Amino acid sequence: AAIRRAEARGAIVGLNSDSGFSTLERRANQLSISGPIIAERGALVQPVRGAPLTPLIPETLRFLELRDRFLDALTIGQRSHQYVIVLGDVNALSNALPSIPPRVLHAPVAVLVNGVRTCSLAFYVRRRVDCEWVLDEAALDEVIAILEEAGPHCEPLWSARDILDRNPTYGICIVHHKNTQKTRAVGWILEHAGTRPVYMIGNSMSDDLKDACVIQCAVGNASPEYKARCLETGGFVAQ
């Protein structure tokens, strides 16, 4: 309802996120958002719904090659029986992973590779304990080591990666190009905004677009740091 009211006053509502485009597109459809979608930390832009996707850094398209080499490293040779590999839209699956099918009981570790990303790489890791998949930091590091073994075959992309976003709390690792940030899309947003003011609504410091032309807004459960930043720069904080 809030989005409809904003659009009725002439606002253009879009999404700017680290997530893959397909994930954001589904969310935009759920909310009937018709504005631009900026995905994978500024690597991909869809200026108008239905328009072709534009890679802001063409080199990031090589993440598909990195993903393929990573999958090969997980499935070839002695490792072929050590991992259950799932490739696809795995975000929801990671939160409700089912019991292991009998045919793959021999595999102690599951690697859920996000197949909807094209300009970054992300995967969840879980270890089998009895008939459940559980978070396991050692298993996550084990799989990250395999990625680091395969990565150098994708130069110069591998050298241009950012520091691996390793998050044992969620059992996930995400790799972006070092030149991608949500802030990268600021110029593009301002260029297409015309005379409209630009508002960035978020919950953490990664949503601080660091531009005086952008009005920063914090949702109610945003981090204290981001709320303070919004107030310092003349933005808004939801109650």
Side-chain angles (χ1 to χ4, degrees), residues 6-170:
E7 289 180 332
R9 295 194 296 268
I12 297 174
V13 182
L15 298 174
N16 184 7
S17 173
D18 292 359
S19 299
F21 174 77
S22 296
T23 301
L24 297 178
E25 184 180 42
R26 182 170 61 250
R27 187 61 172 158
N29 289 337
Q30 291 170 346
L31 297 173
S32 298
I33 291 175
S34 58
I37 294 177
I38 300 166
E40 300 189 51
R41 212 169 71 172
L44 277 177
V45 169
Q46 185 184 57
V48 178
R49 297 304 306 281
L53 291 174
T54 301
L56 295 186
I57 304 176
E59 184 184 9
T60 58
L61 293 173
R62 290 199 65 196
F63 270 103
L64 293 175
E65 177 188 348
L66 176 61
R67 187 183 73 193
D68 289 344
R69 289 185 178 274
F70 175 50
L71 290 171
D72 286 345
L74 287 168
T75 56
I76 291 176
Q78 294 180 342
R79 293 177 179 141
S80 61
H81 301 296
Q82 295 179 24
Y83 301 102
V84 177
I85 310 297
V86 180
L87 175 65
D89 192 352
V90 296
N91 291 327
L93 180 61
S94 69
N95 295 323
L97 202 60
S99 297
I100 306 172
R103 64 181 180 278
V104 292
L105 281 174
H106 59 273
V109 175
V111 184
L112 284 63
V113 181
N114 191 318
V116 303
R117 290 176 178 263
T118 57
C119 294
S120 58
L121 174 65
F123 56 89
Y124 296 88
V125 177
R126 300 289 186 271
R127 185 181 295 279
R128 179 173 64 84
V129 176
D130 296 327
C131 287
E132 298 293 330
W133 296 108
V134 299
L135 291 166
D136 186 279
E137 190 169 355
L140 177 62
D141 287 340
E142 172 187 316
V143 176
I144 289 174
I146 294 172
L147 172 64
E148 291 176 328
E149 175 186 307
H153 295 286
C154 290
E155 294 291 7
L157 175 66
W158 184 248
S159 295
R161 74 194 186 283
D162 63 359
I163 297 173
L164 292 177
D165 184 0
R166 170 188 173 277
N167 190 326
T169 301
Y170 294 97

Side-chain angles (χ1 to χ4, degrees), residues 203-236:
N203 67 353
S204 70
M205 291 303 292
S206 68
D207 297 309
D208 179 11
L209 298 187
K210 299 178 178 64
D211 192 292
C213 295
V214 176
I215 302 168
Q216 299 288 155
C217 305
V219 295
N221 65 344
S223 69
E225 295 83 2
Y226 185 62
K227 288 182 177 180
R229 172 65 177 166
C230 293
L231 294 176
E232 289 169 1
T233 57
F236 301 93

